[in-house]
Amino acid sequence: MDPQFKNPSTLGHYTRHLNQWHEGGWLFIRDDSKVALDTHCVQQAWDAKDLSPEEQEEFDRRIPELGYRHFLEWGQLSDIVGNHEDQKPDFTDSDLEKAILFYWQRDAFIDLAVG
């Protein structure tokens, strides 16, 4: 059984509509994608709680075979946006893109107070 995806859109769309997919779980991007607001993402269409450990293992194996990789989960993306908004309420798309990329590369929030 292959994992099913839904709601293909861009990362920018998902950041601007966090409240519409708050129970959506993980986003996936193509394995060769760069991380930017125009990066195309797909959302998981399954609830991991409904999968047996064997089914989850099969999904984890199939996702890269289908050309995708795990990207960010709703909570992570929501935290990145919230943290950035707390530091700079008038942030631009470019600012947000940098914050997301920083988190993706370092598993940490960008600190705008640090040069």
Side-chain angles (χ1 to χ4, degrees):
M1 175 169 64
D2 279 344
Q4 299 296 306
F5 301 107
K6 62 182 178 180
N7 301 332
S9 195
T10 64
L11 176 57
H13 171 84
Y14 281 105
T15 63
R16 287 187 289 278
H17 299 92
L18 285 166
N19 62 335
Q20 294 177 7
W21 67 284
H22 69 276
E23 294 180 16
W26 285 93
L27 293 179
F28 296 82
I29 59 175
R30 298 297 301 178
D31 193 38
D32 58 353
S33 292
K34 63 178 178 46
V35 175
L37 291 183
D38 64 351
T39 299
H40 289 278
C41 302
V42 291
Q43 182 183 359
Q44 76 181 60
W46 66 91
D47 187 335
K49 295 179 287 191
D50 295 336
L51 300 178
S52 69
E54 295 79 17
E55 289 171 322
Q56 184 62 56
E57 190 175 298
E58 176 67 12
F59 276 22
D60 290 343
R61 184 185 66 74
R62 288 290 296 146
I63 288 167
E65 290 175 1
L66 296 170
Y68 289 96
R69 62 181 167 164
H70 283 85
F71 182 49
L72 294 171
E73 188 268 335
W74 178 87
Q76 292 171 305
L77 193 54
S78 178
D79 288 347
I80 294 165
V81 172
N83 176 273
H84 205 66
E85 190 172 47
D86 288 346
Q87 294 185 69
K88 185 177 180 184
D90 60 341
F91 66 85
T92 65
D93 282 353
S94 178
D95 295 332
L96 182 57
E97 185 173 280
K98 288 175 190 171
I100 293 168
L101 184 59
F102 188 93
Y103 186 91
W104 176 245
Q105 293 172 334
R106 296 178 177 90
D107 194 26
F109 298 115
I110 196 168
D111 183 349
L112 298 178
V114 176

